[in-house]
Amino acid sequence: MKNIKNISLIIFILSGFILFVNQVFSEISTENIVFPELSKSSVYPNIVKQGESILVTVSTVDNSSVNSMQVKIGSYSSTLTYNMVYSNTPDYIDSTGYHFRLYVPTAAQDGIWNIRQVIITDNSGNTKIYEHGMTNLSVYFKIGSIATTGLTTCSTFNYSDWSECSSTYTQQREIIEANPYFCVYGNSELLLRACTNNTTTSQYCEYVYSDWSVCQPIGTSATLGTKTRTVISKSPENCIGIPQTSETCTLTNSTCTYYY
């Protein structure tokens, strides 16, 4: 009886210790989460009509740990909010950030609008919501008719990265931000340029293959089979073609009996 009590006491102590360790590690793992912090957001153009589009750019301190992102815009003078962009749908990503092409609803009211929320989820499934007015999220833009009276011409611009050289030997980039705020377009630098490092090619690939596998029967056939191989390498770089990794073959071993 005494032994049973001792065993029960030991189990009770061990259970308490396990719960304590789990709690400690849970707190440590939560504290050590390195979340992709919002570093900058911008809108271009910052004056737009209903039915037209704006380019919203959001960047984080560490873009590599971002799994998905959602952007909401809202009216500064009312509670109207539009869920303009859904997770994993940026138009493109480059070193300047995540770029979302948003079409302003035709029903959007005239006035000053802002980026209401940026919702970021990291690769571990942790989610953080940045609200307008927080650090690096105080971006406004105007929806409505564009009257140039009293507006300043845009004097400085920030750009996205240049795209890869296309098959027509051109590269393009977009304006992602202009200053001062609520300015009219003005003269930016080139958004399209010629390039010579085109990587497209019409040269066909030369493949190095592994050995063919043993001929395997197809269905219930006693004579017809298929064999496969893998591509070890191909050349030159950026070549075109479809490797032949399988072909039909004849089963030479007629003494085998297959059961299905």
Side-chain angles (χ1 to χ4, degrees):
M1 191 69 174
K2 184 177 181 181
N3 289 337
I4 294 175
K5 288 183 178 179
N6 289 337
I7 293 172
S8 300
L9 179 60
I10 292 171
I11 293 174
F12 177 77
I13 293 172
L14 286 176
S15 299
F17 178 74
I18 292 172
L19 288 174
F20 171 75
V21 170
N22 286 339
Q23 179 67 25
V24 170
F25 277 98
S26 176
E27 291 177 359
I28 292 175
S29 62
T30 302
E31 291 175 358
N32 290 338
I33 291 174
V34 180
F35 199 84
E37 293 292 328
L38 183 68
S39 63
K40 188 175 182 180
S41 57
S42 62
V43 174
Y44 183 82
N46 47 44
I47 304 177
V48 64
K49 295 179 181 178
Q50 290 88 344
E52 295 182 347
S53 66
I54 55 175
L55 186 70
V56 174
T57 298
V58 179
S59 61
T60 63
V61 175
D62 180 15
N63 288 339
S64 65
S65 61
V66 175
N67 177 266
S68 64
M69 191 178 295
Q70 183 177 357
V71 176
K72 297 181 181 181
I73 67 169
S75 171
Y76 179 72
S77 57
S78 75
T79 58
L80 289 177
T81 299
Y82 289 99
N83 298 337
M84 300 294 290
V85 177
Y86 297 93
S87 299
N88 289 319
T89 56
D91 285 67
Y92 62 96
I93 303 171
D94 63 14
S95 65
T96 61
Y98 293 74
H99 304 278
F100 300 91
R101 176 66 63 185
L102 312 184
Y103 288 90
V104 177
T106 55
Q109 65 185 25
D110 289 355
I112 306 301
W113 286 63
N114 55 42
I115 300 179
R116 180 66 59 83
Q117 285 184 342
V118 174
I119 304 170
I120 300 176
T121 303
D122 69 5
N123 292 328
S124 300
N126 305 300
T127 297
K128 188 170 183 177
I129 300 176
Y130 292 89
E131 300 280 355
H132 179 79
M134 295 173 65
T135 303
N136 301 318
L137 192 59
S138 298
V139 179
Y140 296 89
F141 60 101
K142 179 181 178 182
I143 295 179
S145 60
I146 301 176
T148 58
T149 305
L151 295 178
T152 306
T153 301
C154 300
S155 58
T156 59
F157 300 87
N158 290 329
Y159 304 89
S160 66
D161 292 342
W162 286 104
S163 66
E164 293 185 359
C165 197
S166 70
S167 59
T168 57
Y169 295 94
T170 57
Q171 290 176 293
Q172 61 183 11
R173 62 179 178 175
E174 290 193 77
I175 297 172
I176 60 177
E177 185 178 17
N179 290 294
Y181 241 77
F182 301 134
C183 59
V184 291
Y185 294 167
N187 296 319
S188 66
E189 297 177 26
L190 289 177
L191 300 179
L192 183 69
R193 70 180 182 184
C195 54
T196 58
N197 60 334
N198 179 265
T199 57
T200 59
T201 176
S202 59
Q203 189 170 356
Y204 287 95
C205 299
E206 294 185 6
Y207 298 99
V208 176
Y209 297 96
S210 66
D211 293 335
W212 286 107
S213 68
V214 176
C215 192
Q216 299 294 328
I218 299 176
T220 58
S221 174
T223 58
L224 187 63
T226 184
K227 58 184 180 179
T228 60
R229 61 182 179 179
T230 59
V231 175
I232 298 175
S233 64
K234 67 177 183 178
S235 62
E237 291 186 7
N238 303 309
C239 59
I240 59 174
I242 301 175
Q244 183 185 1
T245 56
S246 65
E247 68 177 22
T248 56
C249 53
T250 302
L251 301 171
T252 56
N253 190 348
S254 59
T255 61
C256 293
T257 302
Y258 298 95
Y259 297 92
Y260 300 93

